[in-house]
Amino acid sequence: MNRPNTHISEDRAGAVLTIDLNAIVDNWRSLNERVGDPCECAAVVKADAYGLGMHRVAPKLWEAGAYTFFVAQIGEGIELRELLPGAEIHILSGCFAGTEMDCLQYGLIPVLNSLEDIKRWGTLAKKLGQKLKVTLQVDTAMTRLGLSPKELATVAQEPDLLDGFDVQVVMSHLACADEADHPQNKQQLDAFIAARKILPQGRASFCNSAGIFLANFSHFDLVRPGCALYGVNPTPDKPNPMAQVIQLSAKVLQVHEIDTPRCVGYGASHHLAAGQRVATLALGYADGYLRSLSGKAKAWINETEVNVIGRVSMDMIAIDVSHIDCRQGDLVEMIGPHISVDDIASAAGTIGYEILTSLGARYHRVYKG
Ligand SMILES: *Cc1c(COP(=O)(O)O)cnc(C)c1O
């Protein structure tokens, strides 16, 4: 896995990424309180804890009391197992044929997503002569992973298909939870309740971060927040109830005093007038500052807002500092108290998840807490 680079010293790095582990823990605690006993709040730490460093995030959550973790892939599960010997770890994407023993060896719980998965694992259970811990996923209309209604009907008719299993969790995933009024939320909820009648084993798990905040919704036994832990707003049409987790600051490389009109950056897309001042910053799309932010984003120097101008290049961007002093080495806030991950995402035409998981490997990373 792409380990975050913690060895780039602050004086050499072009940008500093600060990750507040206490804020992640506070977010987990507040979600855990929100769902209340006996519902359990798990933690989704796939994709290197949404780019923030699973090796730092997961042990903190474990210390805070999180017990159940979800990752996407076996490799992530193996890495997490080494960090957390006692945790319950589910592999959302399941595992490909031939990798079952990896799952068993590391005590990882595969999510079985199809009848084929069920048969393959059933055969293995018979061969080993033991009950295997598995999680079952039903597709309640997202059409991504999970048993189809037809497959679910087959399982209902042939319950001995599940004989070899100690079913831990029965789960499904919401497609539109971030749109509180979307009719599919209720339809999926009804489908999940119906599926649960056929598969009453283990604990029921349905809600991601946004699902936890849906009105008139059940949290069932286990919720699976990811983005909300990392400060992304799980209620996009309301103020963010979560604490902000990251701060990204880029260093000024050079300041230009413009004395004759000219352009800045690739494509000469942004015109400058005489008298303007431009600062070049050491941050670009190679660091996850998306090229689609060209000419769209804002940044802050202390309490002053500045515009990102011209095109984002691989290692650099330009900001208009006509109205504020700055010089080489100064830090400019790109994400932080004035600009949330969601603000940057909406300027880039994407979602906070993509901003977080795109964060680059060249930062000086600082973990708080
Ligand atoms: C990624 C994922 C989650 C977490 O979703 P968030 O929206 O980040 O809270 C939960 N369940 C499944 C199946 C997922 O793939």
Side-chain angles (χ1 to χ4, degrees):
M1 188 185 289
N2 187 16
R3 284 248 176 187
N5 207 334
T6 42
H7 67 254
I8 300 178
S9 63
E10 180 159 12
D11 52 344
R12 290 183 184 171
V16 179
L17 177 66
T18 306
I19 296 161
D20 187 344
L21 296 170
N22 292 331
I24 297 177
V25 165
D26 288 347
N27 285 338
W28 180 80
R29 289 206 171 109
S30 90
L31 294 170
N32 193 35
E33 264 166 43
R34 184 177 182 88
V35 298
D37 280 341
C39 181
E40 184 193 339
C41 187
V44 179
V45 294
K46 62 192 179 190
D48 202 23
Y50 290 47
L52 301 189
M54 183 176 74
H55 67 296
R56 300 300 295 267
V57 170
K60 270 280 167 189
L61 289 171
W62 172 261
E63 266 172 45
Y67 175 76
T68 304
F69 292 78
F70 288 84
V71 292
Q73 303 185 353
I74 287 192
E76 299 173 326
I78 292 173
E79 198 160 329
L80 184 56
R81 173 57 71 218
E82 280 158 6
L83 295 167
L84 302 180
E88 182 176 310
I89 303 173
H90 300 256
I91 313 293
L92 288 168
S93 303
C95 69
F96 293 107
T99 62
E100 295 86 354
M101 294 316 286
D102 294 340
C103 259
L104 295 181
Q105 183 187 343
Y106 289 93
L108 308 174
I109 301 168
V111 176
L112 307 188
N113 286 309
S114 65
L115 211 48
E116 194 185 323
D117 285 353
I118 289 176
K119 287 179 179 161
R120 175 156 55 85
W121 279 84
T123 305
L124 181 64
K126 211 173 259 171
K127 193 170 126 198
L128 297 175
Q130 65 186 85
K131 290 236 184 220
L132 301 178
K133 285 188 181 178
V134 300
T135 282
L136 301 174
Q137 175 155 226
V138 286
D139 178 19
T140 50
M142 179 154 185
T143 324
R144 194 171 71 168
L145 289 175
L147 295 169
S148 68
K150 204 171 144 200
E151 289 180 313
L152 191 60
T154 304
V155 175
Q157 280 156 15
E158 303 174 43
D160 53 352
L161 280 168
L162 303 179
D163 276 354
F165 304 139
D166 176 6
V167 175
Q168 299 295 298
V169 173
V170 173
M171 61 174 278
S172 190
H173 192 46
L174 284 157
C176 309
D178 57 342
E179 294 173 58
D181 300 325
H182 201 293
Q184 186 164 320
N185 293 325
K186 175 75 163 65
Q187 290 159 9
Q188 286 194 250
L189 176 65
D190 292 343
F192 187 61
I193 291 169
R196 198 57 186 145
K197 297 214 169 96
I198 297 170
L199 298 172
Q201 306 89 328
R203 291 174 295 162
S205 178
F206 191 46
C207 294
N208 63 343
S209 300
I212 292 170
F213 289 86
L214 289 174
N216 306 315
F217 227 69
S218 174
H219 295 134
F220 297 95
D221 305 311
L222 178 71
V223 292
R224 306 186 306 271
C227 75
L229 298 175
Y230 311 112
V232 171
N233 188 355
T235 59
D237 49 357
K238 295 198 193 124
N240 191 351
M242 312 316 297
Q244 175 129 325
V245 169
I246 70 163
Q247 206 162 325
L248 176 62
S249 307
K251 280 186 202 163
V252 174
L253 289 167
Q254 189 176 355
V255 179
H256 301 271
E257 310 276 349
I258 308 303
D259 43 23
T260 53
R262 56 194 299 162
C263 291
V264 58
Y266 283 121
S269 62
H270 185 86
H271 297 267
L272 302 166
Q276 279 192 282
R277 204 165 44 223
V278 172
T280 305
L281 306 184
L283 175 76
Y285 60 75
D287 304 297
Y289 198 79
L290 303 182
R291 192 167 175 276
S292 54
L293 290 166
S294 298
K296 299 220 175 103
K298 309 279 185 199
W300 287 74
I301 298 177
N302 301 321
E303 293 304 310
T304 305
E305 189 180 61
V306 297
N307 290 321
V308 173
I309 53 175
R311 293 206 184 140
V312 173
S313 46
M314 187 182 292
D315 317 299
M316 281 166 268
I317 54 170
I319 56 172
D320 183 342
V321 289
S322 303
H323 55 304
I324 183 169
D325 274 332
C326 71
R327 43 186 180 139
Q328 189 190 54
D330 283 357
L331 282 169
V332 179
E333 176 193 331
M334 309 308 297
I335 298 175
H338 299 93
I339 316 165
S340 69
V341 170
D342 295 294
D343 293 337
I344 281 291
S346 86
T350 183
I351 52 175
Y353 303 68
E354 191 177 27
I355 299 296
L356 292 180
T357 56
S358 302
L359 289 168
R362 291 195 292 193
Y363 301 127
H364 171 65
R365 286 195 178 218
V366 179
Y367 284 94
K368 286 206 294 197

PDB file of all heavy atoms in Angstrom, residues 44 46 50 70 72 92 137 144 171-174 206-212 224-230 353, ligand 1:
ATOM      1  N   VAL A  44     -14.755   2.709   8.884  1.00  0.00           N
ATOM      2  CA  VAL A  44     -14.306   2.309   7.551  1.00  0.00           C
ATOM      3  C   VAL A  44     -12.953   2.975   7.307  1.00  0.00           C
ATOM      4  O   VAL A  44     -12.848   4.206   7.353  1.00  0.00           O
ATOM      5  CB  VAL A  44     -15.339   2.705   6.477  1.00  0.00           C
ATOM      6  CG1 VAL A  44     -14.847   2.294   5.097  1.00  0.00           C
ATOM      7  CG2 VAL A  44     -16.691   2.054   6.768  1.00  0.00           C
ATOM      8  N   LYS A  46     -10.802   1.965   4.667  1.00  0.00           N
ATOM      9  CA  LYS A  46     -10.297   1.556   3.345  1.00  0.00           C
ATOM     10  C   LYS A  46      -9.488   2.696   2.711  1.00  0.00           C
ATOM     11  O   LYS A  46      -9.578   3.852   3.161  1.00  0.00           O
ATOM     12  CB  LYS A  46     -11.485   1.185   2.447  1.00  0.00           C
ATOM     13  CG  LYS A  46     -12.459   2.336   2.179  1.00  0.00           C
ATOM     14  CD  LYS A  46     -13.753   1.841   1.536  1.00  0.00           C
ATOM     15  CE  LYS A  46     -14.708   2.993   1.299  1.00  0.00           C
ATOM     16  NZ  LYS A  46     -16.047   2.526   0.902  1.00  0.00           N
ATOM     17  N   TYR A  50      -8.970   6.688   3.905  1.00  0.00           N
ATOM     18  CA  TYR A  50      -9.347   7.806   3.021  1.00  0.00           C
ATOM     19  C   TYR A  50      -8.156   8.740   2.781  1.00  0.00           C
ATOM     20  O   TYR A  50      -8.289   9.967   2.745  1.00  0.00           O
ATOM     21  CB  TYR A  50     -10.538   8.576   3.579  1.00  0.00           C
ATOM     22  CG  TYR A  50     -11.866   7.824   3.527  1.00  0.00           C
ATOM     23  CD1 TYR A  50     -11.966   6.497   3.949  1.00  0.00           C
ATOM     24  CD2 TYR A  50     -13.028   8.438   3.064  1.00  0.00           C
ATOM     25  CE1 TYR A  50     -13.174   5.819   3.903  1.00  0.00           C
ATOM     26  CE2 TYR A  50     -14.246   7.760   3.020  1.00  0.00           C
ATOM     27  CZ  TYR A  50     -14.312   6.450   3.449  1.00  0.00           C
ATOM     28  OH  TYR A  50     -15.505   5.767   3.412  1.00  0.00           O
ATOM     29  N   PHE A  70     -13.866  -1.889   8.660  1.00  0.00           N
ATOM     30  CA  PHE A  70     -14.117  -2.321   7.289  1.00  0.00           C
ATOM     31  C   PHE A  70     -13.026  -1.761   6.383  1.00  0.00           C
ATOM     32  O   PHE A  70     -12.687  -0.573   6.461  1.00  0.00           O
ATOM     33  CB  PHE A  70     -15.477  -1.801   6.794  1.00  0.00           C
ATOM     34  CG  PHE A  70     -16.657  -2.492   7.423  1.00  0.00           C
ATOM     35  CD1 PHE A  70     -17.131  -2.075   8.664  1.00  0.00           C
ATOM     36  CD2 PHE A  70     -17.292  -3.548   6.779  1.00  0.00           C
ATOM     37  CE1 PHE A  70     -18.227  -2.711   9.255  1.00  0.00           C
ATOM     38  CE2 PHE A  70     -18.383  -4.189   7.366  1.00  0.00           C
ATOM     39  CZ  PHE A  70     -18.848  -3.771   8.605  1.00  0.00           C
ATOM     40  N   ALA A  72     -11.564  -2.296   2.043  1.00  0.00           N
ATOM     41  CA  ALA A  72     -12.081  -2.755   0.760  1.00  0.00           C
ATOM     42  C   ALA A  72     -11.417  -4.064   0.330  1.00  0.00           C
ATOM     43  O   ALA A  72     -12.078  -4.953  -0.185  1.00  0.00           O
ATOM     44  CB  ALA A  72     -11.877  -1.679  -0.307  1.00  0.00           C
ATOM     45  N   LEU A  92     -14.769  -5.580   2.421  1.00  0.00           N
ATOM     46  CA  LEU A  92     -15.994  -5.213   1.703  1.00  0.00           C
ATOM     47  C   LEU A  92     -16.071  -5.801   0.299  1.00  0.00           C
ATOM     48  O   LEU A  92     -17.132  -6.196  -0.158  1.00  0.00           O
ATOM     49  CB  LEU A  92     -16.109  -3.687   1.615  1.00  0.00           C
ATOM     50  CG  LEU A  92     -16.448  -2.976   2.928  1.00  0.00           C
ATOM     51  CD1 LEU A  92     -16.248  -1.472   2.777  1.00  0.00           C
ATOM     52  CD2 LEU A  92     -17.873  -3.283   3.359  1.00  0.00           C
ATOM     53  N   GLN A 137     -23.641  -9.749   2.009  1.00  0.00           N
ATOM     54  CA  GLN A 137     -24.171  -8.465   1.528  1.00  0.00           C
ATOM     55  C   GLN A 137     -25.312  -8.715   0.549  1.00  0.00           C
ATOM     56  O   GLN A 137     -25.205  -9.535  -0.352  1.00  0.00           O
ATOM     57  CB  GLN A 137     -23.072  -7.657   0.834  1.00  0.00           C
ATOM     58  CG  GLN A 137     -23.612  -6.359   0.220  1.00  0.00           C
ATOM     59  CD  GLN A 137     -22.573  -5.265   0.063  1.00  0.00           C
ATOM     60  OE1 GLN A 137     -22.816  -4.120   0.403  1.00  0.00           O
ATOM     61  NE2 GLN A 137     -21.406  -5.598  -0.448  1.00  0.00           N
ATOM     62  N   ARG A 144     -24.072  -2.698  -7.129  1.00  0.00           N
ATOM     63  CA  ARG A 144     -22.621  -2.645  -7.118  1.00  0.00           C
ATOM     64  C   ARG A 144     -22.112  -3.997  -6.626  1.00  0.00           C
ATOM     65  O   ARG A 144     -21.496  -4.739  -7.357  1.00  0.00           O
ATOM     66  CB  ARG A 144     -22.138  -1.490  -6.228  1.00  0.00           C
ATOM     67  CG  ARG A 144     -20.697  -1.158  -6.428  1.00  0.00           C
ATOM     68  CD  ARG A 144     -20.294   0.115  -5.714  1.00  0.00           C
ATOM     69  NE  ARG A 144     -20.252  -0.043  -4.268  1.00  0.00           N
ATOM     70  CZ  ARG A 144     -19.706   0.860  -3.445  1.00  0.00           C
ATOM     71  NH1 ARG A 144     -19.180   1.972  -3.937  1.00  0.00           N
ATOM     72  NH2 ARG A 144     -19.699   0.670  -2.140  1.00  0.00           N
ATOM     73  N   MET A 171     -25.372  -7.193   5.542  1.00  0.00           N
ATOM     74  CA  MET A 171     -25.263  -5.757   5.249  1.00  0.00           C
ATOM     75  C   MET A 171     -25.795  -5.401   3.866  1.00  0.00           C
ATOM     76  O   MET A 171     -25.995  -6.256   3.001  1.00  0.00           O
ATOM     77  CB  MET A 171     -23.807  -5.307   5.346  1.00  0.00           C
ATOM     78  CG  MET A 171     -22.870  -6.002   4.380  1.00  0.00           C
ATOM     79  SD  MET A 171     -21.185  -5.306   4.430  1.00  0.00           S
ATOM     80  CE  MET A 171     -21.408  -3.885   3.359  1.00  0.00           C
ATOM     81  N   SER A 172     -26.039  -4.116   3.685  1.00  0.00           N
ATOM     82  CA  SER A 172     -26.342  -3.572   2.364  1.00  0.00           C
ATOM     83  C   SER A 172     -25.852  -2.127   2.368  1.00  0.00           C
ATOM     84  O   SER A 172     -25.461  -1.604   3.414  1.00  0.00           O
ATOM     85  CB  SER A 172     -27.848  -3.657   2.080  1.00  0.00           C
ATOM     86  OG  SER A 172     -28.082  -3.337   0.723  1.00  0.00           O
ATOM     87  N   HIS A 173     -25.849  -1.518   1.213  1.00  0.00           N
ATOM     88  CA  HIS A 173     -25.242  -0.183   1.103  1.00  0.00           C
ATOM     89  C   HIS A 173     -26.184   0.766   0.362  1.00  0.00           C
ATOM     90  O   HIS A 173     -26.781   0.394  -0.647  1.00  0.00           O
ATOM     91  CB  HIS A 173     -23.911  -0.308   0.351  1.00  0.00           C
ATOM     92  CG  HIS A 173     -23.049   0.912   0.403  1.00  0.00           C
ATOM     93  ND1 HIS A 173     -22.800   1.611   1.566  1.00  0.00           N
ATOM     94  CD2 HIS A 173     -22.362   1.559  -0.571  1.00  0.00           C
ATOM     95  CE1 HIS A 173     -21.987   2.640   1.306  1.00  0.00           C
ATOM     96  NE2 HIS A 173     -21.717   2.629   0.017  1.00  0.00           N
ATOM     97  N   LEU A 174     -26.281   1.986   0.890  1.00  0.00           N
ATOM     98  CA  LEU A 174     -27.179   2.997   0.318  1.00  0.00           C
ATOM     99  C   LEU A 174     -26.507   3.736  -0.846  1.00  0.00           C
ATOM    100  O   LEU A 174     -25.349   4.130  -0.749  1.00  0.00           O
ATOM    101  CB  LEU A 174     -27.545   4.020   1.395  1.00  0.00           C
ATOM    102  CG  LEU A 174     -28.567   3.550   2.433  1.00  0.00           C
ATOM    103  CD1 LEU A 174     -28.438   4.374   3.714  1.00  0.00           C
ATOM    104  CD2 LEU A 174     -29.975   3.644   1.855  1.00  0.00           C
ATOM    105  N   PHE A 206     -26.379  -1.274   7.754  1.00  0.00           N
ATOM    106  CA  PHE A 206     -26.941  -0.660   6.552  1.00  0.00           C
ATOM    107  C   PHE A 206     -26.377   0.735   6.289  1.00  0.00           C
ATOM    108  O   PHE A 206     -26.178   1.105   5.140  1.00  0.00           O
ATOM    109  CB  PHE A 206     -28.465  -0.584   6.750  1.00  0.00           C
ATOM    110  CG  PHE A 206     -29.241  -0.216   5.518  1.00  0.00           C
ATOM    111  CD1 PHE A 206     -28.968  -0.818   4.296  1.00  0.00           C
ATOM    112  CD2 PHE A 206     -30.267   0.712   5.591  1.00  0.00           C
ATOM    113  CE1 PHE A 206     -29.702  -0.496   3.162  1.00  0.00           C
ATOM    114  CE2 PHE A 206     -31.014   1.040   4.468  1.00  0.00           C
ATOM    115  CZ  PHE A 206     -30.730   0.441   3.250  1.00  0.00           C
ATOM    116  N   CYS A 207     -26.106   1.519   7.336  1.00  0.00           N
ATOM    117  CA  CYS A 207     -25.843   2.946   7.144  1.00  0.00           C
ATOM    118  C   CYS A 207     -24.366   3.275   7.008  1.00  0.00           C
ATOM    119  O   CYS A 207     -23.552   2.889   7.844  1.00  0.00           O
ATOM    120  CB  CYS A 207     -26.401   3.746   8.322  1.00  0.00           C
ATOM    121  SG  CYS A 207     -28.190   3.684   8.422  1.00  0.00           S
ATOM    122  N   ASN A 208     -24.046   4.052   5.993  1.00  0.00           N
ATOM    123  CA  ASN A 208     -22.752   4.734   5.895  1.00  0.00           C
ATOM    124  C   ASN A 208     -22.894   6.065   6.646  1.00  0.00           C
ATOM    125  O   ASN A 208     -23.886   6.285   7.350  1.00  0.00           O
ATOM    126  CB  ASN A 208     -22.370   4.923   4.429  1.00  0.00           C
ATOM    127  CG  ASN A 208     -23.353   5.808   3.694  1.00  0.00           C
ATOM    128  OD1 ASN A 208     -24.480   6.029   4.165  1.00  0.00           O
ATOM    129  ND2 ASN A 208     -22.963   6.325   2.556  1.00  0.00           N
ATOM    130  N   SER A 209     -21.932   6.952   6.475  1.00  0.00           N
ATOM    131  CA  SER A 209     -21.977   8.225   7.224  1.00  0.00           C
ATOM    132  C   SER A 209     -23.290   8.962   7.002  1.00  0.00           C
ATOM    133  O   SER A 209     -23.974   9.354   7.957  1.00  0.00           O
ATOM    134  CB  SER A 209     -20.837   9.146   6.786  1.00  0.00           C
ATOM    135  OG  SER A 209     -19.591   8.546   7.015  1.00  0.00           O
ATOM    136  N   ALA A 210     -23.635   9.178   5.743  1.00  0.00           N
ATOM    137  CA  ALA A 210     -24.840   9.961   5.446  1.00  0.00           C
ATOM    138  C   ALA A 210     -26.087   9.234   5.933  1.00  0.00           C
ATOM    139  O   ALA A 210     -27.043   9.860   6.405  1.00  0.00           O
ATOM    140  CB  ALA A 210     -24.919  10.257   3.950  1.00  0.00           C
ATOM    141  N   GLY A 211     -26.071   7.900   5.826  1.00  0.00           N
ATOM    142  CA  GLY A 211     -27.216   7.109   6.275  1.00  0.00           C
ATOM    143  C   GLY A 211     -27.511   7.312   7.755  1.00  0.00           C
ATOM    144  O   GLY A 211     -28.667   7.313   8.182  1.00  0.00           O
ATOM    145  N   ILE A 212     -26.453   7.517   8.542  1.00  0.00           N
ATOM    146  CA  ILE A 212     -26.609   7.720   9.991  1.00  0.00           C
ATOM    147  C   ILE A 212     -27.456   8.963  10.282  1.00  0.00           C
ATOM    148  O   ILE A 212     -28.137   9.046  11.298  1.00  0.00           O
ATOM    149  CB  ILE A 212     -25.217   7.840  10.656  1.00  0.00           C
ATOM    150  CG1 ILE A 212     -24.483   6.502  10.583  1.00  0.00           C
ATOM    151  CG2 ILE A 212     -25.313   8.316  12.108  1.00  0.00           C
ATOM    152  CD1 ILE A 212     -23.012   6.557  10.995  1.00  0.00           C
ATOM    153  N   ARG A 224     -21.575   1.967   9.534  1.00  0.00           N
ATOM    154  CA  ARG A 224     -20.257   1.904   8.882  1.00  0.00           C
ATOM    155  C   ARG A 224     -19.832   3.268   8.347  1.00  0.00           C
ATOM    156  O   ARG A 224     -19.761   3.476   7.142  1.00  0.00           O
ATOM    157  CB  ARG A 224     -20.306   0.937   7.688  1.00  0.00           C
ATOM    158  CG  ARG A 224     -20.805  -0.465   7.979  1.00  0.00           C
ATOM    159  CD  ARG A 224     -20.661  -1.348   6.736  1.00  0.00           C
ATOM    160  NE  ARG A 224     -21.284  -0.788   5.554  1.00  0.00           N
ATOM    161  CZ  ARG A 224     -22.551  -0.981   5.198  1.00  0.00           C
ATOM    162  NH1 ARG A 224     -23.351  -1.720   5.927  1.00  0.00           N
ATOM    163  NH2 ARG A 224     -23.023  -0.418   4.093  1.00  0.00           N
ATOM    164  N   PRO A 225     -19.539   4.221   9.216  1.00  0.00           N
ATOM    165  CA  PRO A 225     -19.117   5.524   8.706  1.00  0.00           C
ATOM    166  C   PRO A 225     -17.675   5.513   8.215  1.00  0.00           C
ATOM    167  O   PRO A 225     -16.811   4.865   8.808  1.00  0.00           O
ATOM    168  CB  PRO A 225     -19.246   6.437   9.929  1.00  0.00           C
ATOM    169  CG  PRO A 225     -18.978   5.528  11.083  1.00  0.00           C
ATOM    170  CD  PRO A 225     -19.563   4.189  10.695  1.00  0.00           C
ATOM    171  N   GLY A 226     -17.452   6.233   7.140  1.00  0.00           N
ATOM    172  CA  GLY A 226     -16.105   6.488   6.643  1.00  0.00           C
ATOM    173  C   GLY A 226     -15.889   7.990   6.600  1.00  0.00           C
ATOM    174  O   GLY A 226     -15.306   8.592   7.510  1.00  0.00           O
ATOM    175  N   CYS A 227     -16.442   8.636   5.582  1.00  0.00           N
ATOM    176  CA  CYS A 227     -16.116  10.045   5.317  1.00  0.00           C
ATOM    177  C   CYS A 227     -16.328  10.963   6.522  1.00  0.00           C
ATOM    178  O   CYS A 227     -15.551  11.888   6.750  1.00  0.00           O
ATOM    179  CB  CYS A 227     -16.898  10.545   4.102  1.00  0.00           C
ATOM    180  SG  CYS A 227     -18.639  10.855   4.421  1.00  0.00           S
ATOM    181  N   ALA A 228     -17.388  10.712   7.303  1.00  0.00           N
ATOM    182  CA  ALA A 228     -17.684  11.604   8.432  1.00  0.00           C
ATOM    183  C   ALA A 228     -16.568  11.567   9.473  1.00  0.00           C
ATOM    184  O   ALA A 228     -16.295  12.577  10.135  1.00  0.00           O
ATOM    185  CB  ALA A 228     -19.024  11.243   9.071  1.00  0.00           C
ATOM    186  N   LEU A 229     -15.916  10.405   9.614  1.00  0.00           N
ATOM    187  CA  LEU A 229     -14.797  10.321  10.560  1.00  0.00           C
ATOM    188  C   LEU A 229     -13.700  11.297  10.163  1.00  0.00           C
ATOM    189  O   LEU A 229     -12.995  11.840  11.007  1.00  0.00           O
ATOM    190  CB  LEU A 229     -14.200   8.908  10.563  1.00  0.00           C
ATOM    191  CG  LEU A 229     -15.104   7.756  11.001  1.00  0.00           C
ATOM    192  CD1 LEU A 229     -14.358   6.434  10.806  1.00  0.00           C
ATOM    193  CD2 LEU A 229     -15.509   7.927  12.455  1.00  0.00           C
ATOM    194  N   TYR A 230     -13.579  11.480   8.842  1.00  0.00           N
ATOM    195  CA  TYR A 230     -12.456  12.266   8.325  1.00  0.00           C
ATOM    196  C   TYR A 230     -12.856  13.720   8.040  1.00  0.00           C
ATOM    197  O   TYR A 230     -12.129  14.444   7.372  1.00  0.00           O
ATOM    198  CB  TYR A 230     -11.892  11.560   7.085  1.00  0.00           C
ATOM    199  CG  TYR A 230     -11.650  10.095   7.363  1.00  0.00           C
ATOM    200  CD1 TYR A 230     -12.405   9.098   6.754  1.00  0.00           C
ATOM    201  CD2 TYR A 230     -10.707   9.715   8.323  1.00  0.00           C
ATOM    202  CE1 TYR A 230     -12.219   7.761   7.072  1.00  0.00           C
ATOM    203  CE2 TYR A 230     -10.523   8.381   8.646  1.00  0.00           C
ATOM    204  CZ  TYR A 230     -11.277   7.408   8.016  1.00  0.00           C
ATOM    205  OH  TYR A 230     -11.097   6.079   8.355  1.00  0.00           O
ATOM    206  N   TYR A 353     -14.563  13.028  -0.636  1.00  0.00           N
ATOM    207  CA  TYR A 353     -13.886  11.725  -0.655  1.00  0.00           C
ATOM    208  C   TYR A 353     -12.723  11.738  -1.656  1.00  0.00           C
ATOM    209  O   TYR A 353     -11.659  11.178  -1.402  1.00  0.00           O
ATOM    210  CB  TYR A 353     -14.812  10.615  -1.139  1.00  0.00           C
ATOM    211  CG  TYR A 353     -16.102  10.387  -0.389  1.00  0.00           C
ATOM    212  CD1 TYR A 353     -17.139  11.305  -0.406  1.00  0.00           C
ATOM    213  CD2 TYR A 353     -16.306   9.193   0.297  1.00  0.00           C
ATOM    214  CE1 TYR A 353     -18.332  11.052   0.241  1.00  0.00           C
ATOM    215  CE2 TYR A 353     -17.509   8.935   0.947  1.00  0.00           C
ATOM    216  CZ  TYR A 353     -18.523   9.873   0.916  1.00  0.00           C
ATOM    217  OH  TYR A 353     -19.691   9.621   1.552  1.00  0.00           O
TER     218      TYR A 353
HETATM  219  C1  LIG B   1     -17.018   3.146   1.680  1.00  0.00           C
HETATM  220  C2  LIG B   1     -18.149   2.422   2.276  1.00  0.00           C
HETATM  221  C3  LIG B   1     -18.726   2.864   3.477  1.00  0.00           C
HETATM  222  C4  LIG B   1     -18.371   4.188   4.119  1.00  0.00           C
HETATM  223  O1  LIG B   1     -19.052   5.173   3.391  1.00  0.00           O
HETATM  224  P1  LIG B   1     -19.006   6.727   3.806  1.00  0.00           P
HETATM  225  O2  LIG B   1     -19.953   7.365   2.860  1.00  0.00           O
HETATM  226  O3  LIG B   1     -17.604   7.170   3.575  1.00  0.00           O
HETATM  227  O4  LIG B   1     -19.406   6.825   5.220  1.00  0.00           O
HETATM  228  C5  LIG B   1     -19.697   2.069   4.070  1.00  0.00           C
HETATM  229  N1  LIG B   1     -20.103   0.920   3.487  1.00  0.00           N
HETATM  230  C6  LIG B   1     -19.604   0.483   2.299  1.00  0.00           C
HETATM  231  C7  LIG B   1     -20.110  -0.758   1.709  1.00  0.00           C
HETATM  232  C8  LIG B   1     -18.623   1.221   1.655  1.00  0.00           C
HETATM  233  O5  LIG B   1     -18.140   0.810   0.484  1.00  0.00           O
END
